[in-house]
Each structure stands twice: as structure tokens, then as C-alpha cells.
Amino acid sequence: MYGFIWRKLPFGIPGKIGGMLILLGGIGALLWFFAFPRLEPLLPFDDSQISDAPTEEMDPNNQIPDEEPSDPPLPEDEEGDGGGSGGGDLLPGG
């Protein structure tokens, strides 16, 4: 079918490419503005199985507990300035 359409389009390669783009655009517009709106009521895109309201089947005790910090705070240096000029420095000259 595509070969038949390609052979019937006039004006050489540039005309065939332009004609195919026009045909595809026209078919897309027909689908977008006429076919899809008529098919939308038949498709189940709006039927959700998840609701926001809690149901009576849910257990009220089955809740996620408040989050606790995952990492304890890091201990500060003994000097309290975060740095240090003592013997524990890793970089020379500091």
C-alpha cells in the first residue's frame, strides 16, 4: 500500500516527501479531532481503582511510624573548632 502511494505521488523525490508529510499530517489531524474524541468514552482511562478516601477495611493501627533520624549526629572535635592543629592532621604543613 505504501509503495502504491509513493509511486502515485508526483514531483519527484522532494514532492513525494512533501506529499507524504501532508498526508501524514492530515491523517493525524483526522484522528486527533474526530476519531479519538468519539472513542474516548469507550476507553477506560478515567476508571481508577485507587481512591484517596480511607475505607473501613484498612487497619488504623497499621500506619507508618514517625521517622527517626537514620544517622546519629557526628561527634565534634575536642577543641570544638572542627579543625585542629594537633598531631592528628593528615595534611602536612597545617
Side-chain angles (χ1 to χ4, degrees), residues 8-65:
K8 295 297 178 186
L9 287 172
F11 307 120
I13 298 295
K16 291 178 188 263
I17 291 173
M20 289 300 289
L21 291 175
I22 290 171
L23 283 174
L24 288 175
I27 292 169
L30 286 174
L31 288 172
W32 188 269
F33 293 111
F34 295 105
F36 294 153
R38 291 181 190 227
L39 292 174
E40 183 181 8
L42 303 174
L43 299 174
F45 292 133
D46 293 336
D47 295 339
S48 174
Q49 299 296 324
I50 300 173
S51 65
D52 292 335
T55 61
E56 295 175 9
E57 297 175 5
M58 292 178 64
D59 183 13
N61 295 327
N62 189 13
Q63 295 180 356
I64 298 174

Side-chain angles (χ1 to χ4, degrees), residues 77 79 83-92 94:
D77 288 344
E79 297 172 3
S85 59
D89 287 340
L90 296 176
L91 298 175

